[in-house]
Amino acid sequence: MLPYTSIPAAETAVGRPLTAAETLWLNYTATKSDYFLYCHNILFLFLVFTLTPLFYVFIELLFSKHVLAYKIQPKVRFSVADNVNCYLDVMRTFLLVVGPLQLVSYPSIQMIGIKTSLPLPSLTEISLQLFVYFLVEDYTNYWIHRFLHGKWGYEKIHKVHHEYTTPIGFAAPYAHWAEVLILGIPSFLGPAMVPGHMITFWLWIALRQMEAIETHSGYDLPWTLTKFIPFYGGADYHDYHHYVGGQSQSNFASVFTYCDYIYGTDKGYGYQKKVLRQLRDGLKSDGKANDGSHASAQGIKSD
C-alpha cells in the first residue's frame, strides 16, 4: 500500500508533479494492499487465456479462405467444440493450479522487491527489464524443455502438452499440472534477478503468455509485429516441434532461436525446411501448387 493517499503528498515524496499515468496509479492503488495488486495477475491471466486465442478461432471460422495460405498445417481443422474442450481443460488447471499458486506466492514477490510505489518506471526502463526477463526465461526454459523431452520427463509429464501435434491457441497453456509448476520457475527468475515495478511484472506475465499463444496458434501470419524481432522463433518454428511430436529433439526454445542454434538443436527443422524448398521448387517446375506447410511433406520428420 502506498504511504500517501493524496496527490500533494505524493508529489512531495516524489519531488515533482505527478504525470497523468502516476495520478491514475495513485488514485487506483492508494487504498489497496500490495497483495491485492499482485493478485491482479489472476485476472490478467484469465483474460489472456480466454480472449487471445479467440482471434485465431475467429479468423479460421470467418476468414478461412483468406488465411488458409498462412495456416501451417492446413489439412488439420479444429471445430468449435474442440476449442471449447481444450479451453475447459486449461481452465480446470487454471482454477486448481495457476490461481492457487498466484494466491500463495506473494511472499516471493516481497522477497525479491517488486515495487508498487511512485514514481512509475519509464518506458525505457520497462522495455529493458522486459528484454532481460525474456532472455532469462528463454534460456532456462530451453534446458527445462530439453529435460522434459528425456524419457522420464516426457512419459511422466510433457506428453500431455504434446497431445496437440497440431497446436492451437487455447493449447498453449495445456499441460500437466507439474509442468505448469516447473515452467513457472523460468518466468520468475528474470524478475528475481532484475526486480522492477508491479506494472512491469504484470506486463511480463501477460506478454509471455500472449507470445506462447501466438507460437501455438497454428498460423504464421506475415503481419504480426513479432516478425520484426531478431532471432524470434514464432509459430512456424514451434509448430514443427509439435508436428514431430515426442521424438522431437529440435526447436526447444520458447521465444528466441539462439539456444537451438548454439547447442545444435535446430538441425531437424533446418533439414525439413530444406527438403520442403526442394519439393516446392520441383512442384513449381511441374506447374503444381504446394502449400509449403509441414503437412505438405508427410513423413519428412527429423529430430
Side-chain angles (χ1 to χ4, degrees):
M1 185 177 294
L2 298 181
Y4 32 75
T5 58
S6 67
I7 292 178
E11 290 180 336
T12 299
V14 174
R16 58 167 174 76
L18 299 185
T19 65
E22 289 170 336
T23 301
L24 286 173
W25 180 256
L26 174 65
N27 291 335
Y28 182 70
T29 65
T31 59
K32 295 177 175 63
S33 69
D34 290 352
Y35 176 69
F36 180 79
L37 295 176
Y38 172 67
C39 288
H40 281 49
N41 269 326
I42 299 176
L43 173 62
F44 296 149
L45 285 172
F46 172 76
L47 292 175
V48 169
F49 289 162
T50 302
L51 300 179
T52 307
L54 287 179
F55 169 75
Y56 300 100
V57 175
F58 287 151
I59 64 172
E60 181 156 321
L61 291 176
L62 303 178
F63 306 101
S64 58
K65 293 182 180 180
H66 302 285
V67 298
L68 182 61
Y70 309 120
K71 189 170 174 61
I72 301 167
Q73 297 189 49
K75 296 180 180 179
V76 182
R77 297 290 297 272
F78 288 91
S79 67
V80 173
D82 293 330
N83 280 276
V84 170
N85 289 334
C86 181
Y87 173 73
L88 292 177
D89 286 335
V90 168
M91 282 297 106
R92 181 171 62 249
T93 303
F94 181 82
L95 292 173
L96 297 178
V97 181
V98 178
L101 178 64
Q102 292 289 316
L103 291 173
V104 303
S105 60
Y106 177 66
S108 64
I109 297 301
Q110 288 180 303
M111 180 182 67
I112 66 177
I114 298 295
K115 301 177 293 184
T116 61
S117 59
L118 295 174
L120 295 182
S122 66
L123 289 177
T124 299
E125 181 181 347
I126 291 174
S127 299
L128 289 174
Q129 287 176 334
L130 288 175
F131 177 68
V132 172
Y133 297 172
F134 271 105
L135 283 180
V136 171
E137 194 275 347
D138 188 65
Y139 187 80
T140 51
N141 185 290
Y142 172 85
W143 289 106
I144 292 174
H145 196 180
R146 284 191 69 168
F147 163 75
L148 290 174
H149 272 268
K151 183 176 181 181
W152 185 90
Y154 188 84
E155 289 299 321
K156 299 296 184 181
I157 300 174
H158 193 50
K159 69 177 182 181
V160 174
H161 184 65
H162 273 273
E163 289 175 10
Y164 285 87
T165 56
T166 303
I168 55 175
F170 280 119
Y174 178 82
H176 190 284
W177 64 266
E179 181 170 346
V180 174
L181 295 178
I182 293 169
L183 293 183
I185 298 172
S187 296
F188 179 76
L189 283 179
M193 294 171 61
V194 186
H197 198 274
M198 186 66 75
I199 290 177
T200 309
F201 190 75
W202 287 345
L203 283 171
W204 159 236
I205 297 300
L207 289 174
R208 176 63 185 91
Q209 295 306 316
M210 291 172 70
E211 183 277 332
I213 290 169
E214 182 197 350
T215 58
H216 287 82
S217 67
Y219 282 93
D220 188 25
L221 301 174
W223 57 78
T224 57
L225 295 177
T226 50
K227 291 286 186 182
F228 301 97
I229 300 176
F231 306 108
Y232 182 74
D236 184 72
Y237 192 81
H238 191 69
D239 197 284
Y240 174 78
H241 177 81
H242 277 263
Y243 173 68
V244 175
Q247 63 182 302
S248 177
Q249 294 298 316
S250 185
N251 296 23
F252 291 113
S254 60
V255 181
F256 303 108
T257 60
Y258 69 93
C259 280
D260 283 309
Y261 176 78
I262 292 172
Y263 300 112
T265 49
D266 60 351
K267 306 299 185 187
Y269 179 71
Y271 172 76
Q272 190 246 19
K273 286 300 175 186
K274 178 182 177 181
V275 172
L276 284 179
R277 282 194 297 270
Q278 292 173 345
L279 285 174
R280 187 182 304 115
D281 293 341
L283 289 171
K284 283 182 178 179
S285 64
D286 292 337
K288 298 179 181 179
N290 179 33
D291 55 28
S293 66
H294 303 321
S296 303
Q298 293 290 347
I300 304 176
K301 295 186 180 183
S302 173
D303 61 10

